[in-house]
Amino acid sequence: MKAYFNRNRRIMLVGGASAQTQELVANLRDLGMECLIGASAEEALMCLDAMFASDILPGLIVSDASLPDSSGTEFVARLRSDSRFETIPVIVATAKPQSLGVTADNNAYMHAKSKGLMESISGMLAMHEGLDKTY
């Protein structure tokens, strides 16, 4: 799994300050990843605006399905409506993927919250190799 992680990768985690999120951050940082955290969709979008202004975007966004100010699917729709962020791959983590009622398209994938999330992150980074770069 470590083959797909490198120190030039940035991952944005949106929502949740749970113990599970903190464990995920610790695991990703142990692998040399830079983790950016947005507590809400609005905070994440403001952070992405600032990152775009600095010519640096994350290679992947992992969002909770339930955010304080929107759903994960609404957040993905907002990302996809902005041409600056429309190609950033997104994983929406939920306890029940079938309950989201949407299909996995536009580089947005639903994933059950489980121990397999790290493998999904690794696989997504491998599929979208080279996305995390200066624009």
Side-chain angles (χ1 to χ4, degrees):
M1 177 172 62
K2 285 187 179 185
Y4 299 119
F5 293 95
N6 66 60
R7 294 195 183 280
N8 297 322
R9 291 279 188 186
R10 287 171 194 81
I11 295 179
M12 176 175 276
L13 303 172
V14 184
S18 68
Q20 184 179 19
T21 301
Q22 297 308 314
E23 182 179 339
L24 178 60
V25 168
N27 289 337
L28 291 168
R29 287 185 175 154
D30 284 348
L31 292 168
M33 305 297 289
E34 180 183 345
C35 296
L36 307 148
I37 300 172
S40 66
E42 202 59 43
E43 186 177 308
L45 290 168
M46 288 190 314
C47 182
L48 286 167
D49 281 337
M51 292 177 76
F52 184 81
S54 299
D55 293 326
I56 298 173
L57 289 173
L60 175 64
I61 296 172
V62 179
S63 175
D64 278 345
S66 297
L67 300 171
D69 55 351
S70 96
S71 72
T73 53
E74 291 167 341
F75 173 64
V76 170
R78 288 180 68 187
L79 283 175
R80 297 304 178 242
S81 69
D82 187 326
S83 62
R84 299 174 300 165
F85 312 128
E86 66 187 1
T87 61
I88 299 173
V90 180
I91 295 173
V92 179
T94 179
K96 299 178 183 178
Q98 66 279 10
S99 69
L100 293 175
V102 295
T103 58
D105 60 359
N106 296 326
N107 292 330
Y109 300 89
M110 308 309 152
H111 188 280
K113 290 180 182 175
S114 70
K115 63 182 180 181
L117 186 55
M118 284 293 289
E119 287 80 10
S120 292
I121 290 170
S122 176
M124 184 74 79
L125 291 172
M127 284 185 349
H128 296 278
E129 199 172 345
L131 274 181
D132 185 24
K133 60 186 176 187
T134 302
Y135 287 85

